[in-house]
Amino acid sequence: MKNIILIGFMGVGKGTVARAYADEFKAFAIDTDDLIESMENRKIKHIFKEDGEAQFRQMEQKCAKWLSKSVDNAIISTGGGFFKVDNLKKIGTVVLLDSSFNAILERIKSHPNAEKKLAKRPLLQSEKEAKKLYKERSSEYKKVADVVVNVENRTAVEIVKEIKKLVTKL
Ligand code: S3P
């Protein structure tokens, strides 16, 4: 599979980078949360509320199976917990977008649609809990990543160029 799969914490900019990459290299950008929302015909926050997180994780796994069987040459952005699916490496080259927790919060809060960005993420409702999750996941993300790109204070175009450079070298 020649896909590139972007992983990383909520709000780090996976969707933005995927779209910038797609634009630069004329590839299709796919987002796992969008796929799940379309399969379920409801928003992630409603899936969490109505079915719970465990069910959502099963939907991510179903999505991962479909991606590994059916998608090639795409840039794939993922939900922050998607990296735990059991076939991640079969989907494509795994690129971690890395940033400090404070820079992520800053990025979300300074967005013109900040309230909406926060409201749609059930696991970002408490800053304290989110920080705990960030700490737990930090080393796990690094363990599965083929490539790590620091995204702090960089534009999407700069990040895209670095991804291309690093992935080509593999
Ligand atoms: C989650 C991240 C969200 C979404 C869901 C769970 C997580 O995606 O998949 O709310 O477990 O980190 P973003 O990373 O796009 O916010």
Side-chain angles (χ1 to χ4, degrees), residues 68-105:
S68 71
K69 272 198 276 166
S70 313
V71 175
D72 209 355
N73 293 311
I75 174 91
I76 303 168
S77 52
T78 62
F82 187 89
F83 73 108
K84 291 195 172 170
V85 297
D86 60 22
N87 59 333
L88 186 75
K89 296 281 200 179
K90 286 198 188 126
I91 302 173
T93 304
V94 181
V95 176
L96 168 63
L97 302 188
D98 196 27
S99 169
S100 69
F101 183 71
N102 286 345
I104 288 173
L105 276 192

Coordinates of all heavy atoms in Angstrom, one line a residue, residues 68-105:
S68 N -7.3 -0.9 4.4 CA -6.2 -1.8 4.0 C -6.5 -2.6 2.8 O -5.7 -3.0 2.0 CB -5.7 -2.6 5.2 OG -6.6 -3.6 5.5
K69 N -7.8 -2.9 2.6 CA -8.2 -3.7 1.4 C -8.5 -2.9 0.2 O -8.3 -3.4 -0.9 CB -9.5 -4.5 1.8 CG -9.1 -5.9 2.4 CD -10.3 -6.8 2.4 CE -11.2 -6.5 3.5 NZ -12.5 -7.0 3.6
S70 N -9.0 -1.7 0.4 CA -9.6 -1.0 -0.7 C -9.0 0.3 -1.1 O -9.4 0.9 -2.1 CB -11.1 -0.7 -0.4 OG -11.7 -1.9 0.1
V71 N -8.0 0.9 -0.4 CA -7.5 2.2 -0.7 C -6.0 2.2 -0.9 O -5.3 1.5 -0.2 CB -7.9 3.2 0.5 CG1 -7.3 4.6 0.3 CG2 -9.4 3.3 0.7
D72 N -5.6 2.9 -2.0 CA -4.2 3.0 -2.3 C -3.9 4.4 -2.7 O -4.7 5.1 -3.3 CB -3.8 2.0 -3.4 CG -2.4 1.5 -3.3 OD1 -1.7 2.1 -2.4 OD2 -2.0 0.7 -4.0
N73 N -2.6 4.8 -2.6 CA -2.1 6.2 -3.0 C -2.9 7.3 -2.4 O -3.1 8.4 -3.1 CB -2.2 6.2 -4.6 CG -1.2 5.3 -5.2 OD1 0.0 5.3 -4.8 ND2 -1.6 4.5 -6.1
A74 N -3.4 7.2 -1.3 CA -4.2 8.3 -0.6 C -3.4 8.8 0.6 O -2.5 8.2 1.1 CB -5.5 7.7 -0.2
I75 N -3.8 10.0 1.0 CA -3.3 10.6 2.2 C -4.5 10.5 3.2 O -5.5 11.0 3.0 CB -2.8 12.0 2.1 CG1 -2.4 12.6 3.4 CG2 -3.7 12.9 1.3 CD1 -1.0 12.4 3.8
I76 N -4.2 9.7 4.3 CA -5.3 9.4 5.2 C -5.1 10.1 6.6 O -4.1 9.9 7.3 CB -5.4 7.9 5.4 CG1 -5.6 7.2 4.1 CG2 -6.5 7.5 6.4 CD1 -5.4 5.7 4.1
S77 N -6.0 11.0 7.0 CA -6.0 11.5 8.3 C -6.8 10.7 9.2 O -7.9 10.1 8.8 CB -6.4 13.0 8.4 OG -7.6 13.2 7.7
T78 N -6.5 10.6 10.5 CA -7.2 9.6 11.4 C -7.6 10.3 12.7 O -7.0 11.4 13.0 CB -6.2 8.5 11.8 OG1 -5.1 9.0 12.5 CG2 -5.7 7.7 10.6
G79 N -8.6 9.8 13.4 CA -8.9 10.2 14.7 C -7.7 9.9 15.7 O -7.0 9.0 15.4
G80 N -7.6 10.7 16.7 CA -6.5 10.6 17.6 C -6.3 9.2 18.3 O -5.2 8.9 18.7
G81 N -7.3 8.3 18.3 CA -7.1 7.0 18.9 C -7.1 5.9 17.8 O -6.9 4.7 18.2
F82 N -7.1 6.3 16.6 CA -7.2 5.3 15.5 C -5.9 4.4 15.4 O -5.9 3.3 15.0 CB -7.4 6.0 14.1 CG -7.6 5.1 13.0 CD1 -8.9 4.7 12.6 CD2 -6.5 4.7 12.2 CE1 -9.1 3.8 11.5 CE2 -6.7 3.8 11.1 CZ -8.0 3.4 10.8
F83 N -4.8 5.0 15.9 CA -3.5 4.3 15.8 C -3.5 2.9 16.5 O -2.6 2.1 16.3 CB -2.4 5.2 16.4 CG -2.3 5.3 17.9 CD1 -1.4 4.6 18.6 CD2 -3.3 6.0 18.5 CE1 -1.4 4.7 20.0 CE2 -3.3 6.1 19.9 CZ -2.4 5.4 20.6
K84 N -4.5 2.7 17.3 CA -4.5 1.4 18.0 C -5.2 0.3 17.2 O -5.2 -0.9 17.7 CB -5.3 1.6 19.3 CG -4.6 2.5 20.3 CD -5.1 2.4 21.7 CE -4.2 3.1 22.7 NZ -4.8 3.2 24.0
V85 N -5.6 0.5 16.0 CA -6.2 -0.6 15.2 C -5.1 -1.6 15.0 O -3.9 -1.3 14.9 CB -6.8 -0.1 13.9 CG1 -8.0 0.8 14.2 CG2 -5.8 0.5 13.0
D86 N -5.5 -2.9 14.8 CA -4.5 -3.9 14.8 C -3.8 -4.1 13.5 O -2.8 -4.8 13.4 CB -5.1 -5.3 15.3 CG -6.2 -5.8 14.5 OD1 -6.4 -5.4 13.3 OD2 -7.0 -6.6 15.0
N87 N -4.3 -3.4 12.4 CA -3.6 -3.5 11.1 C -3.1 -2.2 10.6 O -3.0 -2.0 9.4 CB -4.6 -4.1 10.1 CG -5.9 -3.2 9.9 OD1 -6.2 -2.5 10.9 ND2 -6.5 -3.3 8.8
L88 N -2.8 -1.3 11.5 CA -2.3 0.0 11.1 C -1.2 0.0 10.0 O -1.3 0.7 9.0 CB -1.8 0.8 12.3 CG -1.5 2.3 12.1 CD1 -2.8 3.1 11.9 CD2 -0.7 2.9 13.2
K89 N -0.2 -0.8 10.3 CA 0.9 -0.8 9.4 C 0.6 -1.4 8.0 O 1.3 -1.1 7.0 CB 2.1 -1.7 10.0 CG 2.6 -1.1 11.3 CD 3.6 0.0 11.0 CE 4.5 0.3 12.2 NZ 5.4 1.3 11.9
K90 N -0.5 -2.1 7.9 CA -0.9 -2.7 6.6 C -1.5 -1.6 5.7 O -1.7 -1.8 4.5 CB -1.8 -3.8 6.8 CG -1.2 -5.1 7.3 CD -2.0 -6.3 7.1 CE -1.4 -7.5 7.7 NZ -2.4 -8.2 8.6
I91 N -2.0 -0.5 6.4 CA -2.7 0.5 5.6 C -1.7 1.4 4.8 O -2.0 1.8 3.7 CB -3.6 1.4 6.5 CG1 -4.6 0.5 7.3 CG2 -4.3 2.5 5.7 CD1 -5.4 1.2 8.4
G92 N -0.5 1.6 5.4 CA 0.4 2.5 4.7 C 1.5 2.9 5.6 O 1.7 2.4 6.7
T93 N 2.3 3.9 5.2 CA 3.4 4.5 6.0 C 2.8 5.4 7.0 O 2.0 6.3 6.7 CB 4.3 5.3 5.0 OG1 4.8 4.5 4.0 CG2 5.5 5.8 5.8
V94 N 3.2 5.1 8.3 CA 2.6 5.8 9.4 C 3.4 7.1 9.8 O 4.6 7.0 10.1 CB 2.5 4.9 10.6 CG1 1.8 5.6 11.8 CG2 1.7 3.6 10.3
V95 N 2.8 8.2 9.7 CA 3.5 9.5 10.0 C 2.8 10.1 11.2 O 1.6 10.4 11.2 CB 3.4 10.5 8.7 CG1 4.0 11.8 9.1 CG2 4.1 9.9 7.5
L96 N 3.6 10.3 12.2 CA 3.1 11.0 13.4 C 3.3 12.5 13.3 O 4.4 13.0 13.1 CB 3.9 10.5 14.7 CG 3.7 11.2 16.0 CD1 2.3 11.2 16.4 CD2 4.6 10.7 17.1
L97 N 2.2 13.2 13.5 CA 2.3 14.7 13.6 C 2.5 15.0 15.1 O 1.5 14.7 15.9 CB 1.1 15.4 13.0 CG 0.8 15.1 11.5 CD1 -0.3 16.0 11.0 CD2 2.1 15.3 10.7
D98 N 3.6 15.5 15.5 CA 3.9 15.7 16.9 C 3.9 17.1 17.3 O 4.3 18.0 16.6 CB 5.4 15.1 17.1 CG 5.7 14.8 18.6 OD1 4.7 14.6 19.3 OD2 6.8 14.8 18.9
S99 N 3.4 17.4 18.5 CA 3.4 18.7 19.1 C 3.2 18.7 20.6 O 2.7 17.7 21.1 CB 2.1 19.4 18.5 OG 1.9 20.6 19.1
S100 N 3.6 19.7 21.3 CA 3.4 19.7 22.7 C 1.9 19.9 23.0 O 1.1 20.4 22.1 CB 4.1 20.9 23.4 OG 3.6 22.1 23.0
F101 N 1.5 19.5 24.2 CA 0.0 19.6 24.5 C -0.4 21.1 24.5 O -1.4 21.4 24.0 CB -0.2 19.0 25.9 CG -1.6 19.0 26.3 CD1 -2.6 18.2 25.7 CD2 -2.1 19.9 27.3 CE1 -3.9 18.2 26.1 CE2 -3.4 19.9 27.7 CZ -4.3 19.0 27.1
N102 N 0.5 22.0 25.1 CA 0.1 23.4 25.1 C -0.1 24.0 23.7 O -1.0 24.8 23.5 CB 1.2 24.2 25.9 CG 1.0 23.9 27.4 OD1 0.0 23.4 27.8 ND2 2.1 24.3 28.1
A103 N 0.8 23.6 22.8 CA 0.7 24.1 21.4 C -0.6 23.6 20.8 O -1.3 24.4 20.0 CB 1.9 23.7 20.6
I104 N -1.0 22.4 21.1 CA -2.3 21.9 20.5 C -3.5 22.7 21.1 O -4.3 23.1 20.3 CB -2.4 20.4 20.9 CG1 -1.4 19.5 20.1 CG2 -3.8 19.9 20.6 CD1 -1.4 18.1 20.5
L105 N -3.5 22.9 22.4 CA -4.6 23.7 23.0 C -4.6 25.1 22.4 O -5.7 25.6 22.0 CB -4.4 23.8 24.5 CG -4.9 22.7 25.4 CD1 -4.9 23.1 26.8 CD2 -6.3 22.2 25.0

